[in-house]
Amino acid sequence: MLSDVTTPQDLDDRFRETLAALPAAERRRDPADPVTDDAPLTGGQVLDLFDAQVTSRQLDLAGRWLRSFGEGFYTIGSAGHEGNAAVAAALRPTDPALLHYRSGAFYCLRAAQAAADPALAPADPTRAAVDPSEATTDPSQAAADQAPAAGLGRTVDSDQAPAGGLGRTVDSERSAPAETVDSRPSTGTQPTVDDVPTRDPDAEPRLSGSEPAGTGQAPAANGFAAYADAARDVLRGMVASGLEPVAGGRHKVFGRADLAVVPTTSTIASHLPRAVGMGLAVERLRRLDSAGRRTGAGMRVGSGAGATHAPWPPDAIVVCSFGDASVNHASATAAFNTAGWYDHAGLRIPVLFVCEDNGLGISVRSPEGWVEATLRAKPGIRYFSADGADPVRTYEVAAEAAAWVRRNRRPAVLHLRTVRLMGHAGADAESAYRGPAELAADLDRDPVAATARLLVDAGVATGEELLARYDETGWQVRRLAEEVLGEPKLASAADVVSALAPRRPVRVARAVADAAARASGPQAGARAEAFGGKPPELAGPMTLAQSINAALADGMLDHPQMAIFGEDVAAKGGVYGVTKGLRDRFGAARVFDTLLDETSVLGLGLGAGLAGMLPVPEIQYLAYLHNAEDQLRGEAATMRFFSQGAFRNPMVVRVAGLAYQEGFGGHFHNDNSVAVLRDVPGLVVAVPARPDDAAPMLRTCLASAAVDGSVCVFLEPIALYHTRDLYAEGDGEWLAGYPEPGEWVAGHVPIGRARVYQVGSADDLTIITFGNGVRMSLRAAAVLAEEGVGTRVVDLRWLAPLPVADIIRESSATGRVLVVDETRRSGGVGEGVIAALVDAGYVGAARRVAGVDSFVPLGPAARHVLVSADAITDGARTLLAR
C-alpha cells in the first residue's frame, strides 16, 4: 500500500489500527435497512459514502507518492474534509457546484451519482407539479408528497416522506414549518459548448452500489468502477496530463461539464460572487420558463450564431463550498452581502454556501466561535450546521438545507465542521505551529474512520471487510496513478493557450450580418416600437453616448437573454445618461440597478453568463474597477482556460473611464490606468473614440461574447461622451449618424482592427493613438498640415489585442511614428505599441508622448500630467526634425 508515503501523522497506519480494533456487532444488519433505527440512510447508502470517502483519501495519499519522485505537481488534499460526500449526496447531480479544493469526496460521490443508471430512480408521475414561484411557508398548505425511498443522494423534497427512505422527516431545531415543494421534473441540459453528453435531468441521484447484498451477508463491494472516472480525473490533474477532462493539464481543478461541476481556481473566496450571479440567473431563467417564455432546452442566449442552451434545470440550486479562512475575505463578504441584499429586496437567490471549517487557514487559526458567529450574522442567509465526522447527521442537515433553498429560492449557508489531516499541502510542516495533542485530536475525528465505525457498530460490515475495501481502492488508485504517468503533457505554448480565448472572426461577422437581417426583416416592427417609432438612424447626428445607447437597445432586441445592470444604470439611466430610457423599453428584469460593489457587479455578470445569459454590467468609473479586478483576471478570463471551452462566461463590461473631464476630476473620476486590463490573457479591451465606431464595436463585442464566449471590456472615454465638435466650436465634426441595419455589415469592425485617418498627403508622419488621443491628434494633424506635413492618425480602437498588423503597415508607410498615449508612461499602452514595432523589425524613427507617472489631480493641475494637443504637435515637430 501507500502507507510509506504518508506524513508524520501516519494517517494510513492510524486508520488501519482503528479498523482492526473495531469489535464486530452482535448481529448483522441488512444493508437495505436504515443504518440505525432512526437514520435517513440505509446501511448500503452509508457504504456508498464510505467508498467515496476512501477514494478521496487514497487520492490524497497517491498525490504525496507522485510528488515524492517529481511526477506530481499538486498535493493540497481533502483528508479530514471527506464528510462533504454526504453534502453531495443531499444534492441533485444537476445542481451546479463550485467546489473548494478540499472537495475530493464530494466530487467522487457526484461522479458516481452521474454514472448510475437513471432508470433506477425514474421521476414519480404521481407527484403533483407545484410551481416554485407559489412556494409558501404556511403549514396548512404544505405539500403532501410521499417521496419513496431511493438511492443515495435523493433530495429531501418533503417534510412528510415515509420513515426509512431518504426523504424522511428531518428533525432539527432549525427546521422551518412545512412548505410547499417544487416537485416538477427537472429539465434542461448541461452547460457544454459542443458535444459533451448529457444525462437525464429528471432522474434523482442514485449510486450504482446502493443495491443491498443478501440479508445477513457481508455487503458486496460497490466496485471501484463507480469512482474510477473521478479518480482518474483527479490523478490526471495532479500529473498535469493533457488528457485531464476539464483543464487539459493546465491546472488541478475539480470540474466537469457533465457533472455540473464548474471549475474554480480556488483563490480565496473569489468564486463566491460568481455563485451569487449563477443563483440570480438560474432563478430569472426559471421564471421565464414558468411564464412560458422559455421552453425546455430551447432557450437561447441569442438568436444568431453561437447561441447556447439553458444549462441547468429550472429548479436547480447553486452550491458553493469554501474554507473557514475565506469567510474573512472581501470577496466572500461581497457575496454574502449581495445575496442578503437581494433577499431583503425580495429577489430570490437559490444558493447554498458550504463553509468547510477545519479551523485553520494554512497556519493561521480561526478564533474559536468566530466562523459560526460570522455566518449566523449574515442577514438574509439562513444558517445550518453539522459535524462532518457524523455522516448521517451531515446528510440529514445538508438535505434539509438543500430542500429549503430549493423550495424557497433563497440563500442559506451550511457550516460543516471538519478537520485537516496531513497538513495544508505536501510541503507544510504542521509541527511548526500545531502541537501533538491537537494533531491527535484531529486524528480522533477522522471522518472516514467515523463512517467505518458507524458501519461496524450497526452490523453492516466488519472492520476487516471495510479494510479490504480500503485496500482494494488503494491498489486501484495506485494502478491508475501509474497509468496516467505516461500520458502526454501539454507540449507547446500553442497547446497551453489554445483554450484561452479562441477567436472566430468569420462567425462573429456572420452573427452581425444575421442581426442586421433580423433588424431589417422579421424584427423591424418590434425595433420600430422599441424606439418609439423613430429608429436611431432617423434621429440625425449623434454623440458618442447617444450612439452607445442606441447600440445597447439594438443589442437588447437581438439578444433575448442580454441584461444591463450596474450602479445607477436603470432609474437614473447612468451617471452620464448612456443607459437612459433602456429600463422603460425593456423592463426592470433586464435593466436593473445593483448595490454599490464592483466585485458583486462583476460576480453577477460571471454567474449570469455561465448560466446562459448575456450580461452587460457597468463599472461606473475605471478607478472603481481596481476594487474588483480579480473577478476579471482570476475568474472571468480563466474560465475557458481551465475548462477547455466546456464552460464559458460571456460578458461585455462597460466601463466609463479615462481623463479630460471638464469641471469634474480627481484621480477617481479621471483615472487613466489600463495596465491591469491589458495584462489579462484573453481579455478583449475596446476603446471607441467616435460615435460611428462605438455602435459597430459594441455589436462586435456582443457577437463575440455570444459566439465565442469572449470577455470584453468596453472602455468608454467619459470626456467624449457628449463632445460634438472637433476643430472649432459648432462644427459638429465629432457627431455621426447611426447606421441603419442594412449598413451594419459594411461597417463591421472586427476585433483587433484599427482605423486610419489621412490628413494632407499622409506621407510624412504616423500618429498612433486611441481614445481622447484621437481627437487631440486630429487637431494636431490639422495644425501640422498648415505647415505642409501630411499625417496618418491611427486610432487603435482595440487595446487588447492590439492591431499589430495595422500598426506595422501604417508606421512603415512614413518611417516616422509618434505614439500618443494618454495613459501613463510606465505600464501604458504606448509601451505595447513600441514593443510591437521592435518585434516586427521596424527601423524608422519613433517617439512617445505619454501621460506622466502620476495620479490625476483635481482642477487645472491635471493639465500638467496629461497629454495635450500642443504636446502632440511639439512631439511631432521634434520627430520630424531628426
Short mmCIF file of all heavy atoms in Angstrom, two decimals, residues 172-230:
data_model
loop_
_atom_site.label_atom_id
_atom_site.label_comp_id
_atom_site.label_asym_id
_atom_site.label_seq_id
_atom_site.Cartn_x
_atom_site.Cartn_y
_atom_site.Cartn_z
N SER A 172 -34.96 18.84 13.17
CA SER A 172 -33.92 19.81 13.51
C SER A 172 -34.53 20.99 14.22
O SER A 172 -35.61 21.45 13.87
CB SER A 172 -33.20 20.28 12.25
OG SER A 172 -32.35 21.37 12.54
N GLU A 173 -33.83 21.50 15.19
CA GLU A 173 -34.33 22.67 15.89
C GLU A 173 -34.34 23.89 14.99
O GLU A 173 -34.98 24.89 15.29
CB GLU A 173 -33.47 22.94 17.12
CG GLU A 173 -32.01 23.25 16.79
CD GLU A 173 -31.17 23.42 18.03
OE1 GLU A 173 -31.72 23.22 19.13
OE2 GLU A 173 -29.98 23.74 17.90
N ARG A 174 -33.67 23.78 13.84
CA ARG A 174 -33.67 24.89 12.89
C ARG A 174 -34.71 24.71 11.81
O ARG A 174 -34.79 25.49 10.89
CB ARG A 174 -32.29 25.02 12.24
CG ARG A 174 -31.21 25.47 13.20
CD ARG A 174 -29.89 25.58 12.48
NE ARG A 174 -29.51 24.31 11.88
CZ ARG A 174 -28.95 23.32 12.56
NH1 ARG A 174 -28.72 23.44 13.83
NH2 ARG A 174 -28.62 22.20 11.95
N SER A 175 -35.48 23.62 11.87
CA SER A 175 -36.43 23.33 10.80
C SER A 175 -37.46 24.44 10.70
O SER A 175 -37.98 24.94 11.69
CB SER A 175 -37.14 22.00 11.05
OG SER A 175 -36.22 20.94 11.02
N ALA A 176 -37.78 24.80 9.46
CA ALA A 176 -38.86 25.75 9.21
C ALA A 176 -40.16 24.99 9.17
O ALA A 176 -40.18 23.77 9.05
CB ALA A 176 -38.62 26.46 7.88
N PRO A 177 -41.31 25.66 9.25
CA PRO A 177 -42.58 24.97 9.06
C PRO A 177 -42.61 24.31 7.70
O PRO A 177 -41.89 24.69 6.78
CB PRO A 177 -43.61 26.12 9.16
CG PRO A 177 -42.91 27.21 9.90
CD PRO A 177 -41.47 27.08 9.53
N ALA A 178 -43.49 23.32 7.59
CA ALA A 178 -43.60 22.61 6.32
C ALA A 178 -43.96 23.58 5.21
O ALA A 178 -44.72 24.52 5.40
CB ALA A 178 -44.68 21.53 6.44
N GLU A 179 -43.39 23.35 4.03
CA GLU A 179 -43.56 24.29 2.94
C GLU A 179 -43.92 23.56 1.67
O GLU A 179 -43.58 22.41 1.47
CB GLU A 179 -42.26 25.08 2.72
CG GLU A 179 -41.92 25.92 3.94
CD GLU A 179 -40.46 26.27 3.98
OE1 GLU A 179 -39.64 25.39 3.72
OE2 GLU A 179 -40.15 27.42 4.28
N THR A 180 -44.59 24.28 0.79
CA THR A 180 -44.93 23.71 -0.50
C THR A 180 -43.66 23.38 -1.26
O THR A 180 -42.71 24.15 -1.28
CB THR A 180 -45.78 24.69 -1.32
OG1 THR A 180 -46.97 24.96 -0.57
CG2 THR A 180 -46.14 24.10 -2.66
N VAL A 181 -43.64 22.25 -1.91
CA VAL A 181 -42.44 21.74 -2.55
C VAL A 181 -42.55 21.85 -4.05
O VAL A 181 -43.59 21.57 -4.64
CB VAL A 181 -42.22 20.27 -2.16
CG1 VAL A 181 -40.98 19.72 -2.83
CG2 VAL A 181 -42.09 20.14 -0.67
N ASP A 182 -41.47 22.26 -4.68
CA ASP A 182 -41.41 22.23 -6.13
C ASP A 182 -40.99 20.83 -6.55
O ASP A 182 -39.84 20.46 -6.43
CB ASP A 182 -40.38 23.25 -6.63
CG ASP A 182 -40.17 23.13 -8.12
OD1 ASP A 182 -41.05 22.57 -8.80
OD2 ASP A 182 -39.12 23.59 -8.58
N SER A 183 -41.93 20.05 -7.03
CA SER A 183 -41.62 18.67 -7.39
C SER A 183 -41.73 18.43 -8.88
O SER A 183 -41.89 17.31 -9.34
CB SER A 183 -42.55 17.72 -6.65
OG SER A 183 -43.90 18.05 -6.90
N ARG A 184 -41.69 19.51 -9.67
CA ARG A 184 -41.73 19.32 -11.11
C ARG A 184 -40.50 18.58 -11.59
O ARG A 184 -39.42 18.77 -11.06
CB ARG A 184 -41.79 20.68 -11.84
CG ARG A 184 -43.04 21.47 -11.55
CD ARG A 184 -42.97 22.78 -12.30
NE ARG A 184 -41.78 23.52 -11.91
CZ ARG A 184 -41.27 24.49 -12.64
NH1 ARG A 184 -41.79 24.82 -13.78
NH2 ARG A 184 -40.20 25.13 -12.23
N PRO A 185 -40.63 17.77 -12.61
CA PRO A 185 -39.43 17.12 -13.16
C PRO A 185 -38.45 18.16 -13.65
O PRO A 185 -38.83 19.20 -14.18
CB PRO A 185 -39.99 16.28 -14.32
CG PRO A 185 -41.44 16.10 -14.00
CD PRO A 185 -41.85 17.34 -13.28
N SER A 186 -37.18 17.91 -13.45
CA SER A 186 -36.15 18.81 -13.93
C SER A 186 -36.05 18.73 -15.43
O SER A 186 -36.25 17.69 -16.04
CB SER A 186 -34.80 18.42 -13.31
OG SER A 186 -34.90 18.43 -11.91
N THR A 187 -35.73 19.87 -16.05
CA THR A 187 -35.49 19.89 -17.49
C THR A 187 -34.25 20.69 -17.76
O THR A 187 -33.78 21.44 -16.94
CB THR A 187 -36.66 20.54 -18.25
OG1 THR A 187 -36.82 21.88 -17.77
CG2 THR A 187 -37.96 19.77 -18.05
N GLY A 188 -33.71 20.55 -18.94
CA GLY A 188 -32.55 21.34 -19.32
C GLY A 188 -31.38 20.47 -19.65
O GLY A 188 -31.43 19.26 -19.60
N THR A 189 -30.29 21.09 -20.04
CA THR A 189 -29.10 20.37 -20.43
C THR A 189 -27.92 20.88 -19.65
O THR A 189 -27.99 21.89 -18.98
CB THR A 189 -28.82 20.54 -21.94
OG1 THR A 189 -28.65 21.93 -22.19
CG2 THR A 189 -29.97 19.99 -22.77
N GLN A 190 -26.83 20.17 -19.75
CA GLN A 190 -25.62 20.59 -19.07
C GLN A 190 -24.93 21.71 -19.84
O GLN A 190 -25.10 21.85 -21.05
CB GLN A 190 -24.67 19.39 -18.93
CG GLN A 190 -25.21 18.31 -18.02
CD GLN A 190 -25.54 18.85 -16.65
OE1 GLN A 190 -24.71 19.51 -16.05
NE2 GLN A 190 -26.73 18.60 -16.16
N PRO A 191 -24.11 22.51 -19.15
CA PRO A 191 -23.54 23.69 -19.77
C PRO A 191 -22.34 23.39 -20.64
O PRO A 191 -21.21 23.68 -20.29
CB PRO A 191 -23.15 24.53 -18.55
CG PRO A 191 -22.83 23.51 -17.52
CD PRO A 191 -23.77 22.38 -17.75
N THR A 192 -22.56 22.78 -21.78
CA THR A 192 -21.46 22.46 -22.67
C THR A 192 -21.55 23.29 -23.93
O THR A 192 -22.61 23.76 -24.32
CB THR A 192 -21.48 20.97 -23.05
OG1 THR A 192 -22.71 20.68 -23.70
CG2 THR A 192 -21.37 20.10 -21.81
N VAL A 193 -20.42 23.43 -24.59
CA VAL A 193 -20.39 24.20 -25.81
C VAL A 193 -20.70 23.35 -27.02
O VAL A 193 -21.45 23.72 -27.91
CB VAL A 193 -19.01 24.87 -25.98
CG1 VAL A 193 -18.89 25.53 -27.33
CG2 VAL A 193 -18.80 25.88 -24.87
N ASP A 194 -20.14 22.15 -27.07
CA ASP A 194 -20.30 21.35 -28.26
C ASP A 194 -21.00 20.02 -27.96
O ASP A 194 -22.21 19.97 -27.84
CB ASP A 194 -18.94 21.11 -28.93
CG ASP A 194 -18.35 22.42 -29.43
OD1 ASP A 194 -19.09 23.16 -30.10
OD2 ASP A 194 -17.18 22.68 -29.15
N ASP A 195 -20.24 18.95 -27.79
CA ASP A 195 -20.84 17.63 -27.78
C ASP A 195 -20.62 16.85 -26.49
O ASP A 195 -20.50 15.64 -26.50
CB ASP A 195 -20.28 16.80 -28.95
CG ASP A 195 -20.61 17.46 -30.28
OD1 ASP A 195 -21.74 17.95 -30.41
OD2 ASP A 195 -19.74 17.46 -31.16
N VAL A 196 -20.55 17.53 -25.34
CA VAL A 196 -20.45 16.79 -24.09
C VAL A 196 -21.78 16.09 -23.85
O VAL A 196 -22.82 16.71 -23.88
CB VAL A 196 -20.15 17.74 -22.91
CG1 VAL A 196 -20.14 16.97 -21.61
CG2 VAL A 196 -18.81 18.41 -23.13
N PRO A 197 -21.78 14.77 -23.66
CA PRO A 197 -23.04 14.06 -23.50
C PRO A 197 -23.77 14.51 -22.24
O PRO A 197 -23.16 14.88 -21.26
CB PRO A 197 -22.60 12.59 -23.40
CG PRO A 197 -21.19 12.65 -22.93
CD PRO A 197 -20.61 13.90 -23.53
N THR A 198 -25.10 14.45 -22.30
CA THR A 198 -25.90 14.86 -21.17
C THR A 198 -26.63 13.66 -20.59
O THR A 198 -26.80 12.63 -21.24
CB THR A 198 -26.93 15.92 -21.59
OG1 THR A 198 -27.77 15.35 -22.60
CG2 THR A 198 -26.24 17.14 -22.16
N ARG A 199 -27.07 13.82 -19.33
CA ARG A 199 -27.82 12.77 -18.67
C ARG A 199 -29.26 13.19 -18.52
O ARG A 199 -29.61 14.35 -18.71
CB ARG A 199 -27.23 12.52 -17.27
CG ARG A 199 -25.84 11.95 -17.32
CD ARG A 199 -25.22 11.92 -15.94
NE ARG A 199 -24.86 13.28 -15.54
CZ ARG A 199 -25.58 13.99 -14.70
NH1 ARG A 199 -26.68 13.51 -14.19
NH2 ARG A 199 -25.21 15.20 -14.37
N ASP A 200 -30.10 12.25 -18.15
CA ASP A 200 -31.49 12.55 -17.91
C ASP A 200 -31.62 13.39 -16.66
O ASP A 200 -31.38 12.90 -15.56
CB ASP A 200 -32.27 11.23 -17.75
CG ASP A 200 -33.75 11.48 -17.45
OD1 ASP A 200 -34.16 12.67 -17.48
OD2 ASP A 200 -34.46 10.51 -17.19
N PRO A 201 -31.96 14.67 -16.78
CA PRO A 201 -32.00 15.52 -15.60
C PRO A 201 -33.22 15.26 -14.74
O PRO A 201 -33.34 15.81 -13.66
CB PRO A 201 -32.03 16.93 -16.20
CG PRO A 201 -32.67 16.75 -17.53
CD PRO A 201 -32.27 15.39 -18.01
N ASP A 202 -34.18 14.44 -15.23
CA ASP A 202 -35.35 14.14 -14.43
C ASP A 202 -35.04 13.12 -13.34
O ASP A 202 -35.76 12.96 -12.37
CB ASP A 202 -36.47 13.56 -15.31
CG ASP A 202 -37.06 14.63 -16.21
OD1 ASP A 202 -36.79 15.82 -15.95
OD2 ASP A 202 -37.79 14.29 -17.14
N ALA A 203 -33.95 12.37 -13.54
CA ALA A 203 -33.66 11.28 -12.61
C ALA A 203 -33.08 11.82 -11.31
O ALA A 203 -32.24 12.71 -11.32
CB ALA A 203 -32.67 10.31 -13.24
N GLU A 204 -33.54 11.26 -10.21
CA GLU A 204 -32.98 11.62 -8.92
C GLU A 204 -31.60 10.97 -8.77
O GLU A 204 -31.32 9.94 -9.37
CB GLU A 204 -33.90 11.15 -7.80
CG GLU A 204 -35.23 11.89 -7.75
CD GLU A 204 -35.06 13.31 -7.22
OE1 GLU A 204 -33.95 13.67 -6.84
OE2 GLU A 204 -36.06 14.04 -7.19
N PRO A 205 -30.71 11.55 -7.97
CA PRO A 205 -29.39 10.96 -7.79
C PRO A 205 -29.48 9.55 -7.20
O PRO A 205 -30.26 9.28 -6.32
CB PRO A 205 -28.72 11.92 -6.80
CG PRO A 205 -29.52 13.17 -6.88
CD PRO A 205 -30.91 12.77 -7.20
N ARG A 206 -28.64 8.67 -7.72
CA ARG A 206 -28.56 7.33 -7.14
C ARG A 206 -27.21 6.75 -7.53
O ARG A 206 -26.74 6.94 -8.63
CB ARG A 206 -29.69 6.45 -7.67
CG ARG A 206 -29.70 5.07 -6.99
CD ARG A 206 -30.80 4.20 -7.60
NE ARG A 206 -30.79 2.89 -7.00
CZ ARG A 206 -31.72 2.45 -6.17
NH1 ARG A 206 -32.70 3.23 -5.83
NH2 ARG A 206 -31.64 1.23 -5.67
N LEU A 207 -26.62 6.00 -6.61
CA LEU A 207 -25.33 5.39 -6.89
C LEU A 207 -25.50 3.95 -7.33
O LEU A 207 -26.44 3.27 -6.95
CB LEU A 207 -24.45 5.43 -5.64
CG LEU A 207 -24.02 6.83 -5.20
CD1 LEU A 207 -22.96 6.71 -4.15
CD2 LEU A 207 -23.55 7.65 -6.36
N SER A 208 -24.54 3.51 -8.11
CA SER A 208 -24.62 2.15 -8.64
C SER A 208 -24.51 1.10 -7.55
O SER A 208 -24.96 -0.01 -7.72
CB SER A 208 -23.48 1.93 -9.66
OG SER A 208 -22.23 2.15 -9.05
N GLY A 209 -23.92 1.46 -6.43
CA GLY A 209 -23.72 0.48 -5.39
C GLY A 209 -24.76 0.49 -4.31
O GLY A 209 -24.55 -0.06 -3.24
N SER A 210 -25.92 1.09 -4.55
CA SER A 210 -26.91 1.20 -3.49
C SER A 210 -27.72 -0.06 -3.30
O SER A 210 -28.45 -0.19 -2.33
CB SER A 210 -27.86 2.36 -3.79
OG SER A 210 -27.14 3.58 -3.76
N GLU A 211 -27.68 -0.98 -4.24
CA GLU A 211 -28.45 -2.20 -4.08
C GLU A 211 -27.83 -3.05 -2.98
O GLU A 211 -26.64 -3.33 -2.99
CB GLU A 211 -28.46 -2.99 -5.39
CG GLU A 211 -29.18 -2.25 -6.52
CD GLU A 211 -30.63 -1.96 -6.18
OE1 GLU A 211 -31.26 -2.78 -5.49
OE2 GLU A 211 -31.13 -0.92 -6.61
N PRO A 212 -28.61 -3.48 -2.01
CA PRO A 212 -28.05 -4.24 -0.89
C PRO A 212 -27.69 -5.65 -1.27
O PRO A 212 -28.24 -6.23 -2.20
CB PRO A 212 -29.19 -4.22 0.12
CG PRO A 212 -30.43 -4.13 -0.72
CD PRO A 212 -30.05 -3.27 -1.90
N ALA A 213 -26.75 -6.21 -0.54
CA ALA A 213 -26.46 -7.62 -0.67
C ALA A 213 -27.52 -8.41 0.08
O ALA A 213 -28.41 -7.84 0.70
CB ALA A 213 -25.07 -7.92 -0.12
N GLY A 214 -27.44 -9.72 0.03
CA GLY A 214 -28.44 -10.53 0.71
C GLY A 214 -28.43 -10.30 2.20
O GLY A 214 -27.41 -10.00 2.81
N THR A 215 -29.58 -10.45 2.80
CA THR A 215 -29.72 -10.22 4.23
C THR A 215 -28.75 -11.12 5.01
O THR A 215 -28.65 -12.30 4.77
CB THR A 215 -31.16 -10.51 4.66
OG1 THR A 215 -32.02 -9.66 3.91
CG2 THR A 215 -31.35 -10.23 6.14
N GLY A 216 -28.06 -10.50 5.92
CA GLY A 216 -27.17 -11.26 6.78
C GLY A 216 -25.83 -11.56 6.17
O GLY A 216 -24.97 -12.16 6.81
N GLN A 217 -25.62 -11.15 4.92
CA GLN A 217 -24.35 -11.42 4.24
C GLN A 217 -23.48 -10.17 4.29
O GLN A 217 -23.96 -9.05 4.40
CB GLN A 217 -24.59 -11.84 2.79
CG GLN A 217 -25.48 -13.06 2.63
CD GLN A 217 -24.85 -14.28 3.27
OE1 GLN A 217 -23.66 -14.51 3.11
NE2 GLN A 217 -25.64 -15.04 4.01
N ALA A 218 -22.21 -10.38 4.18
CA ALA A 218 -21.30 -9.24 4.08
C ALA A 218 -21.63 -8.46 2.81
O ALA A 218 -21.93 -9.05 1.78
CB ALA A 218 -19.85 -9.74 4.03
N PRO A 219 -21.62 -7.15 2.87
CA PRO A 219 -22.01 -6.36 1.70
C PRO A 219 -21.02 -6.55 0.55
O PRO A 219 -19.82 -6.55 0.75
CB PRO A 219 -21.97 -4.92 2.22
CG PRO A 219 -21.02 -4.96 3.37
CD PRO A 219 -21.19 -6.30 4.00
N ALA A 220 -21.58 -6.73 -0.62
CA ALA A 220 -20.72 -6.82 -1.80
C ALA A 220 -20.05 -5.48 -2.03
O ALA A 220 -20.63 -4.43 -1.81
CB ALA A 220 -21.54 -7.22 -3.01
N ALA A 221 -18.82 -5.50 -2.49
CA ALA A 221 -18.12 -4.25 -2.76
C ALA A 221 -18.86 -3.48 -3.83
O ALA A 221 -19.32 -4.04 -4.82
CB ALA A 221 -16.69 -4.53 -3.20
N ASN A 222 -18.99 -2.20 -3.59
CA ASN A 222 -19.64 -1.33 -4.57
C ASN A 222 -18.94 -1.48 -5.92
O ASN A 222 -19.55 -1.40 -6.96
CB ASN A 222 -19.57 0.10 -4.06
CG ASN A 222 -20.35 1.07 -4.92
OD1 ASN A 222 -20.87 0.71 -5.97
ND2 ASN A 222 -20.43 2.30 -4.47
N GLY A 223 -17.67 -1.70 -5.87
CA GLY A 223 -16.91 -1.77 -7.11
C GLY A 223 -16.29 -0.42 -7.39
O GLY A 223 -16.96 0.60 -7.39
N PHE A 224 -14.98 -0.42 -7.61
CA PHE A 224 -14.27 0.83 -7.82
C PHE A 224 -14.71 1.51 -9.10
O PHE A 224 -14.49 2.71 -9.28
CB PHE A 224 -12.77 0.55 -7.84
CG PHE A 224 -11.93 1.78 -7.99
CD1 PHE A 224 -11.86 2.72 -6.98
CD2 PHE A 224 -11.21 2.01 -9.15
CE1 PHE A 224 -11.10 3.86 -7.10
CE2 PHE A 224 -10.44 3.15 -9.29
CZ PHE A 224 -10.38 4.07 -8.27
N ALA A 225 -15.39 0.78 -9.98
CA ALA A 225 -15.79 1.35 -11.26
C ALA A 225 -16.65 2.60 -11.08
O ALA A 225 -16.59 3.52 -11.90
CB ALA A 225 -16.56 0.32 -12.09
N ALA A 226 -17.45 2.65 -10.02
CA ALA A 226 -18.31 3.81 -9.80
C ALA A 226 -17.49 5.08 -9.56
O ALA A 226 -17.98 6.19 -9.80
CB ALA A 226 -19.24 3.56 -8.61
N TYR A 227 -16.26 4.92 -9.09
CA TYR A 227 -15.43 6.07 -8.75
C TYR A 227 -14.18 6.18 -9.62
O TYR A 227 -13.40 7.12 -9.46
CB TYR A 227 -15.02 5.98 -7.27
CG TYR A 227 -16.20 5.84 -6.35
CD1 TYR A 227 -16.59 4.59 -5.88
CD2 TYR A 227 -16.96 6.94 -6.02
CE1 TYR A 227 -17.70 4.46 -5.06
CE2 TYR A 227 -18.07 6.83 -5.20
CZ TYR A 227 -18.44 5.57 -4.73
OH TYR A 227 -19.54 5.47 -3.93
N ALA A 228 -14.01 5.23 -10.52
CA ALA A 228 -12.77 5.19 -11.31
C ALA A 228 -12.60 6.44 -12.16
O ALA A 228 -11.51 6.99 -12.26
CB ALA A 228 -12.74 3.93 -12.18
N ASP A 229 -13.69 6.88 -12.79
CA ASP A 229 -13.58 8.07 -13.63
C ASP A 229 -13.18 9.28 -12.82
O ASP A 229 -12.33 10.08 -13.24
CB ASP A 229 -14.90 8.33 -14.35
CG ASP A 229 -15.15 7.37 -15.50
OD1 ASP A 229 -14.19 6.67 -15.90
OD2 ASP A 229 -16.29 7.30 -15.99
N ALA A 230 -13.80 9.44 -11.65
CA ALA A 230 -13.46 10.58 -10.80
C ALA A 230 -12.00 10.49 -10.35
O ALA A 230 -11.28 11.50 -10.35
CB ALA A 230 -14.38 10.63 -9.59
#
